[in-house]
Amino acid sequence: MTLDGPTLTTLRRRAFDLRIDNLTAIAAAGSGHPGGTLSAMDILQTLFFVEMRQRPAEPHWPERDRFVLSKGHAVPALYTVLAHSGYFSRDLLPTLRHLGSPLQGHPADFLLPGIEASTGSLGQGFSIGIGMALASKLDGDKFRTYVMIGDGESQEGQIWEAAMSAPKYNLDNLCVILDHNKIQLDGSVVEIMNIEPFADKMRAFNWNVLTIDGHDYQQIAGAFAEARATKGKPTFIVAQTIKGKGVSFMEGKVAWHGVAPNKDQLAAAVAELRAAQALIEPADQGGHSGPVGGNA
Amino acid sequence: MAGDGTPAAVASRDAFGDALVRLGEIHPEVVVLDADLSESTRTRKFAKKFPERFFDMGIAEANMLGVAAGLSLAGKTPFCCSFACFITGRFDQVRMSICYSATNVRIVGSHCGVAIGEDGYSQMGLEDIALMRALPTMSIIQPADELETAGAVEYLVEHKGPAFLRTTRQKLDRVNKDGYVFQFGKGVMLADGKDLTIVATGGTVGPALKAAALLAKDGVSARVINIHTIKPIDVDLLAKAARETKRILTVEDHQITGGLGGAVCEALADREPVRVRRHGIPDVFGESGTPEALYQHFKLDAAGIAAVARDFVAGR
């Protein structure tokens, strides 16, 4: 599958709006994990605006595709994409991490439409996604399930229990994406506890494995299409990403794993993102302005 | 039936396994997960009857609990089974994936207590009630006989929210009458008395009833209450017993910290504070032995419970 020109342009331009809203919310909260939200953002946008069958106005539609954010600390990115998709008002975003807000510091599924599982203790969302995929198989395979895990998260033993179990059930309705941004809280993943060669490990576990640039919309959408076309095996996408992607002073920096930008840093980030966005000509009327997921 | 006409004793794991098969027929949404213990937890009958709804997840309990959570979030009613001690070993998965994700997973922890015998401490569920009790939304049920187990499993198919069902390896004497109806959250008074109330749960209910008969011969009148639902606990029934008998003796095959005894103390402290003696595994590890030898050693057989009750009533 290839995205057409207007769609691609709309996705690329919206990517800046999403990053700005995301960082603004984290700054308003005064705490959070900006680096891992920016590395995940382009994949999340592609899921919700291109790939998944969703009905934001009917969030409990039984046949909706499911998304589980196993790396729960990146949830501001997911909140932002959900708000832009129409699940709830963008006005909620600045309430992130405030007392009484449904936008908890890590996902709580019973508080907010579009959040499919409560995560934040690493390693657990992968298994939950497998359960959803199994349920779908029992009911005639009416929806697909997507899970995003982190590379630091993959040091958890449960990830490997889960990796072992999905191929047993031939879950070709399951697609797991690794946000491979190569940095965790204490330093680089290679130094803290190396997980490479990750793709080889997953191949050895009997997965259909794809490796892509996690910031290239054509590659992301193409990988999801290939996952959908693959029968008999679950698909694992190793998405090579950049921690802090889009904000020059955050990119590749361990320090931005778990610290919110202050007022000046936010202003600098927003200025940089707006300037980059201005370099992309808006799409013609033919471009998509809202979610286009499947036949939803 | 035994030769004398009394019903045969049945382990609650067996009653659970049979009930699961019956309910599987009526409820297509019921699915079962196990972690390589289907012969021991008694889910094998369900596995044979409904292979497409049974998932043996291998010796990987953390993943099993998460997969059960996902099945529930997508509309199924999972019964997720292992030994109670191996479930509590994955407490964070129960806390996050099952409770905080607002699922309807039913965890079945079998092989509870020192009554499993020879396998020893590593296989004994002795801290599971304490841990499960601390989790918001979690309900805990421990049936005392075959009838109660069948009723509890039937109830759990419809229950909203996560639940923990504690089952035994050992056979349990019938303590309830024919036609017994399981009522979630309600304790059951099995014998009346005025000198003290023995509050028991699961495998200790049968011995507690026999202890009351022994005490009667010594002129001690013991009320016996069966608490099958440990959370939410029947505070009204306990407060009434405290008011009327002044002494409460809790009896459980579980650590005395945080289990039934803890739950009863917490409930009564605010409503009807009286003297409570917590009897069970006294903050020590279990050990290998025959179930009978272990119940004698820990004073959980009828004679042992009666002796503890006599001391309590005598002010010792």
Side-chain angles (χ1 to χ4, degrees):
Chain A
M1 129 170 211
T2 309
L3 300 169
D4 62 33
T7 301
L8 193 56
T9 300
T10 304
L11 290 167
R12 283 178 178 158
R13 284 186 56 84
R14 191 190 292 110
F16 295 102
D17 296 333
L18 295 170
R19 284 184 162 83
I20 289 167
D21 279 2
N22 169 66
L23 288 174
T24 304
I26 293 173
S31 65
H33 303 81
T37 61
L38 296 175
S39 62
M41 192 64 91
D42 299 311
I43 299 160
L44 294 178
Q45 185 186 185
T46 311
L47 277 170
F48 280 85
F49 283 83
V50 178
E51 173 63 15
M52 293 200 301
R53 299 165 73 242
Q54 298 261 307
R55 289 178 182 169
E58 193 188 338
H60 300 293
W61 177 43
E63 293 181 20
R64 72 193 182 280
D65 287 341
R66 284 6 182 228
F67 174 70
V68 176
L69 184 66
S70 198
K71 47 169 285 183
H73 54 284
V75 74
L78 178 57
Y79 293 151
T80 305
V81 170
L82 289 172
H84 279 257
S85 302
Y87 277 87
F88 48 83
S89 167
R90 284 176 61 207
D91 296 344
L92 263 184
L93 293 175
T95 70
L96 171 68
R97 291 179 169 239
H98 285 68
L99 184 62
S101 170
L103 277 63
Q104 293 290 296
H106 293 76
D109 61 1
F110 54 97
L111 293 177
L112 201 63
I115 301 293
E116 299 281 4
S118 301
T119 54
S121 179
L122 294 173
Q124 300 194 26
F126 193 162
S127 304
I128 294 175
I130 291 171
M132 291 172 174
L134 277 176
S136 179
K137 285 283 181 197
L138 285 173
D139 291 339
D141 221 356
K142 295 204 175 71
F143 64 84
R144 293 180 59 75
T145 300
Y146 299 82
V147 178
M148 177 182 277
I149 64 172
D151 45 13
E153 174 179 21
S154 301
Q155 293 156 355
E156 289 279 5
Q158 190 178 347
I159 291 291
W160 302 98
E161 293 185 4
M164 215 181 329
S165 67
K168 169 181 169 179
Y169 296 103
N170 308 316
L171 295 178
D172 51 20
N173 58 356
L174 175 69
C175 177
V176 176
I177 307 116
L178 173 71
D179 177 11
H180 198 2
N181 62 33
K182 300 159 196 77
I183 288 174
Q184 58 190 110
L185 201 152
D186 274 357
S188 81
V189 175
V190 168
E191 286 170 14
I192 301 298
M193 189 56 69
N194 192 12
I195 57 171
E196 301 299 345
F198 211 119
D200 290 346
K201 284 174 179 151
M202 296 307 287
R203 262 182 220 108
F205 276 61
N206 261 329
W207 287 67
N208 173 45
V209 181
L210 308 171
T211 299
I212 60 164
D213 175 346
H215 302 301
D216 180 320
Y217 283 102
Q218 290 290 16
Q219 289 192 36
I220 301 168
F224 289 144
E226 191 174 334
R228 235 182 302 120
T230 301
K231 298 299 168 200
K233 277 184 174 191
T235 291
F236 191 85
I237 300 174
V238 177
Q240 303 290 358
T241 58
I242 296 168
K243 195 108 173 180
K245 169 71 178 176
V247 179
S248 55
F249 61 88
M250 291 185 176
E251 285 192 1
K253 297 284 192 328
V254 173
W256 287 101
H257 172 90
V259 179
N262 63 28
K263 207 176 153 195
D264 293 342
Q265 290 163 332
L266 176 66
V270 170
E272 184 183 341
L273 289 162
R274 281 275 175 250
Q277 187 180 38
L279 298 177
I280 305 173
E281 286 289 317
D284 296 335
Q285 293 302 314
H288 294 295
S289 58
V292 296
N295 57 5
Chain B
M1 292 279 176
D4 59 0
T6 56
V10 176
S12 51
R13 62 171 173 168
D14 286 307
F16 159 71
D18 292 341
L20 208 51
V21 172
R22 284 198 301 279
L23 291 161
E25 298 269 14
I26 315 165
H27 298 280
E29 74 278 15
V30 168
V31 296
V32 177
L33 300 92
D34 208 306
D36 195 42
L37 288 170
S38 67
E39 177 57 37
S40 299
T41 61
R42 298 297 198 248
T43 58
R44 188 162 284 179
K45 282 184 184 171
F46 185 95
K48 285 197 173 135
K49 190 94 188 256
F50 309 104
E52 74 288 355
R53 285 193 269 150
F54 176 78
F55 305 100
D56 198 323
M57 303 305 295
I59 308 167
E61 294 82 5
N63 184 51
M64 172 177 73
L65 290 160
V67 171
L71 280 157
S72 172
L73 291 169
K76 302 297 172 192
T77 303
F79 283 78
C80 186
C81 313
S82 183
F83 289 6
C85 59
F86 303 144
I87 296 291
T88 50
R90 282 77 195 170
F91 182 70
D92 188 33
Q93 281 70 22
V94 179
R95 175 179 185 263
M96 282 296 304
S97 294
I98 289 180
C99 291
Y100 193 50
S101 284
T103 74
N104 291 314
V105 174
R106 290 81 182 83
I107 300 169
V108 182
S110 74
H111 289 60
C112 68
V114 296
I116 68 156
E118 292 82 350
D119 272 344
Y121 177 71
S122 72
Q123 319 293 301
M124 294 171 172
L126 284 174
E127 297 83 20
D128 48 299
I129 298 173
L131 285 160
M132 296 301 145
R133 231 164 47 77
L135 292 170
T137 71
M138 180 63 91
S139 296
I140 304 169
I141 298 174
Q142 177 169 220
D145 70 8
E146 180 187 11
L147 296 176
E148 205 160 275
T149 308
V153 178
E154 191 173 340
Y155 164 77
L156 281 174
V157 173
E158 309 286 352
H159 177 77
K160 296 290 174 225
F164 184 82
L165 179 74
R166 194 174 196 249
T167 64
T168 64
R169 176 177 182 273
Q170 82 269 27
K171 290 182 174 167
L172 304 176
D173 288 334
R174 181 74 65 85
V175 296
N176 292 294
K177 295 187 179 68
D178 285 343
Y180 170 78
V181 177
F182 174 84
Q183 282 185 284
F184 176 71
K186 295 286 179 199
V188 184
M189 191 169 85
L190 292 171
D192 202 1
K194 58 180 176 35
D195 297 326
L196 86 162
T197 300
I198 303 175
V199 179
T201 183
T204 60
V205 175
L209 267 177
K210 287 181 183 158
L214 294 176
L215 289 165
K217 289 179 188 163
D218 302 338
V220 176
S221 165
R223 183 178 295 189
V224 178
I225 289 177
N226 165 24
I227 293 290
H228 52 65
T229 307
I230 297 168
K231 186 182 178 185
I233 204 162
D234 189 344
V235 186
D236 291 341
L237 187 69
L238 292 170
K240 182 168 184 287
R243 202 159 49 241
E244 291 172 1
T245 72
K246 304 297 180 203
R247 295 182 192 87
I248 302 279
L249 170 64
T250 61
V251 182
E252 61 192 312
D253 192 352
H254 180 275
Q255 300 288 359
I256 56 169
T257 306
L260 173 72
V264 168
C265 286
E266 287 163 26
L268 291 178
D270 195 43
R271 274 282 294 273
E272 198 70 39
V274 295
R275 287 194 63 197
V276 178
R277 183 153 298 182
R278 291 170 297 129
H279 180 50
I281 308 306
D283 202 18
V284 297
F285 298 117
E287 54 188 292
S288 291
T290 64
E292 296 74 22
L294 284 159
Y295 262 35
Q296 196 175 6
H297 174 74
F298 285 107
K299 293 190 166 64
L300 287 171
D301 57 354
I305 295 168
V308 171
R310 267 186 225 105
D311 283 354
F312 186 28
V313 171
R316 289 191 290 270

